[in-house]
């Protein structure tokens, strides 16, 4: 028996709601991940995720952990909706010719990852500037030797100010800085995540035709998400470094993906590519676990059921 068919509007609603709930829950950990990944040798302000969050609360208060959350909450709805809907679309069409093999599942994930970067790249670009602003400010106060001489302290910009500045100086390309690295992260992530989730979820189905219980979907989403997140973390480090506009005086700048890889290996060693890996796993696991539960509970279908139906 084939999986139940869900309408596109329901898929979009499910993905959007799941993204909003997930981001609200895990955003502080994502902020810690960004700051840990951006730390370079000689400018290490934070020793761990917990140290980062404690120092952030001390300097900026509780809501300091949610810097950049507005961007994510605004754009995560279309991003997650595109990812989930695109994956289902490709799986549906690839399954028309017969059984959905592992290779076809991976191709569907590849298509989903490629589609989502339309929204993901500008969202990550803006979010990273806002998240990392607190690290730069803290360095200015606690590690003044890492700040370029003569640098004037300025108020942290808003998302709209950043958007206008990037569009004015570099056009639409300014918002899509790091597009190549984002593709290198999100396409492999989706190739790993979606097939792994589908096969783990199938293991928990009630019989051959029955759906998996919601807790199986949640655990499958968590396990598949954390596995894929750790697998692509080296590329996430590269993407974060490339998209960060502000740096301390002792920190490297990068001209592209290969330049970034070369300088990280030379100055920080291979272990630098695993910076923030456990934070990323802690972010992605519940994010995708929640997404799959919302999806399988059919929240979108429930909401649409209250709308008047068109007469045939």
């Amino acid at each position: 028996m084939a999986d139940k068919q869900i309408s596109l509007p329901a898929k979009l609603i499910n993905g959007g709601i799941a993204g909003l709930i997930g981001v609200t829950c895990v955003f502080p950990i994502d902020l810690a991940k960004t700051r840990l990944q951006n730390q370079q040798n000689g400018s290490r302000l934070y020793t761990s995720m917990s140290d980062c969050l404690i120092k952030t609360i001390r300097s900026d208060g509780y809501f300091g952990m949610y810097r950049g959350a507005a961007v994510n909450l605004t754009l995560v709805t279309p991003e997650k909706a595109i990812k989930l809907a695109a994956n289902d679309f490709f799986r549906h069409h690839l399954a028309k010719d017969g059984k959905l093999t592992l290779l076809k599942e991976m191709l569907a994930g590849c298509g989903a990852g490629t589609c989502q970067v339309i929204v993901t790249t500008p969202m990550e670009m803006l979010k990273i500037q806002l998240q990392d602003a607190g690290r730069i400010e803290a360095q200015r106060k606690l590690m003044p030797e890492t700040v370029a001489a003569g640098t004037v302290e300025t108020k942290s910009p808003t998302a709209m100010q950043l958007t206008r500045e990037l569009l004015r100086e570099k056009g639409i390309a300014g918002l899509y800085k790091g597009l190549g690295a984002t593709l290198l992260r999100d396409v492999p992530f989706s190739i790993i995540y979606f097939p792994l989730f589908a096969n783990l979820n199938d293991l928990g189905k009630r019989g051959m035709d029955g759906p998996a219980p919601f807790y199986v979907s949640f655990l499958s989403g968590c396990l598949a998400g954390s596995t894929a997140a750790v697998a692509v973390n080296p590329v996430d480090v590269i993407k974060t470094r490339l998209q960060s506009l502000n740096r301390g005086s002792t920190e490297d700048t990068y001209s592209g993906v290969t330049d970034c890889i070369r300088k990280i290996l030379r100055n920080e060693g291979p272990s630098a590519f695993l910076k923030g890996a456990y934070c990323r796993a802690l972010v992605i696991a519940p994010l995708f676990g929640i997404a799959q539960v919302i999806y399988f509970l059919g929240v979108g279908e429930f909401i649409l059921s209250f709308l008047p139906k068109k007469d045939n």
Side-chain angles (χ1 to χ4, degrees):
M1 180 178 166
D3 292 338
K4 64 176 182 178
Q5 293 301 306
I6 304 174
S7 67
L8 180 60
K11 290 174 185 175
L12 298 178
I13 293 171
N14 285 333
I17 292 174
L20 291 172
I21 295 172
V23 166
T24 302
C25 293
V26 302
F27 193 83
I29 303 174
D30 187 64
L31 179 137
K33 181 218 66 149
T34 297
R35 293 186 179 183
L36 288 170
Q37 287 183 338
N38 260 334
Q39 286 191 141
Q40 298 182 25
N41 290 348
S43 61
R44 288 176 59 84
L45 182 63
Y46 311 111
T47 58
S48 65
M49 178 185 74
S50 58
D51 181 56
C52 178
L53 294 177
I54 289 168
K55 286 179 177 175
T56 299
I57 292 172
R58 284 177 180 169
S59 62
D60 299 330
Y62 174 79
F63 290 104
M65 295 190 297
Y66 282 86
R67 280 196 184 202
V71 174
N72 247 34
L73 290 171
T74 301
L75 296 180
V76 74
T77 300
E79 187 224 16
K80 288 291 177 285
I82 289 170
K83 180 195 281 279
L84 294 172
N87 180 67
D88 275 9
F89 172 82
F90 289 120
R91 285 175 69 90
H92 175 71
H93 283 276
L94 288 169
K96 281 184 174 179
D97 299 329
K99 183 182 177 183
L100 192 64
T101 63
L102 178 61
L103 178 60
K104 289 181 178 179
E105 288 181 325
M106 293 172 71
L107 285 172
C110 178
T114 304
C115 290
Q116 78 168 77
V117 297
I118 297 168
V119 176
T120 304
T121 306
M123 178 182 76
E124 292 272 309
M125 182 69 189
L126 295 173
K127 182 195 73 172
I128 285 171
Q129 313 317 313
L130 297 170
Q131 286 182 329
D132 205 41
R135 182 183 69 91
I136 300 298
E137 290 171 11
Q139 278 186 353
R140 191 188 305 278
K141 296 173 184 175
L142 303 176
M143 304 172 68
E145 69 278 4
T146 65
V147 181
T151 303
V152 179
E153 185 172 351
T154 57
K155 186 178 178 182
S156 297
T158 65
M160 287 303 299
Q161 288 171 335
L162 277 170
T163 303
R164 284 196 294 267
E165 184 179 340
L166 286 168
L167 288 173
R168 184 176 65 251
E169 292 180 1
K170 300 180 180 179
I172 194 68
L175 289 173
Y176 281 87
K177 183 180 180 182
L179 174 62
T182 306
L183 276 167
L184 287 174
R185 182 197 67 172
D186 288 352
V187 171
F189 178 94
S190 294
I191 289 174
I192 296 168
Y193 172 78
F194 285 110
L196 182 56
F197 167 77
N199 285 279
L200 288 173
N201 196 59
D202 284 344
L203 294 175
K205 284 186 175 180
R206 297 189 180 103
M208 291 295 293
D209 297 334
F214 83 93
Y215 66 85
V216 172
S217 295
F218 175 78
L219 292 174
S220 298
C222 287
L223 183 56
S226 58
T227 301
V230 173
V232 302
N233 192 76
V235 189
D236 191 52
V237 172
I238 295 166
K239 184 197 72 67
T240 300
R241 297 281 182 96
L242 289 174
Q243 289 186 319
S244 297
L245 298 176
N246 297 316
R247 300 192 181 281
S249 60
T250 62
E251 295 179 337
D252 289 326
T253 57
Y254 311 103
S255 60
V257 173
T258 54
D259 181 56
C260 184
I261 294 171
R262 182 172 53 82
K263 287 180 178 176
I264 290 175
L265 283 172
R266 184 184 65 201
N267 299 328
E268 301 173 65
S271 63
F273 290 109
L274 293 177
K275 284 184 176 181
Y278 66 98
C279 292
R280 184 160 164 76
L282 289 174
V283 168
I284 298 296
L287 197 63
F288 279 85
I290 291 167
Q292 294 301 346
V293 170
I294 296 291
Y295 215 62
F296 278 83
L297 287 178
V299 176
E301 295 91 314
F302 177 75
I303 292 172
L304 290 175
S305 69
F306 289 95
L307 298 178
K309 294 180 174 60
K310 290 183 179 181
D311 295 329
N312 293 327

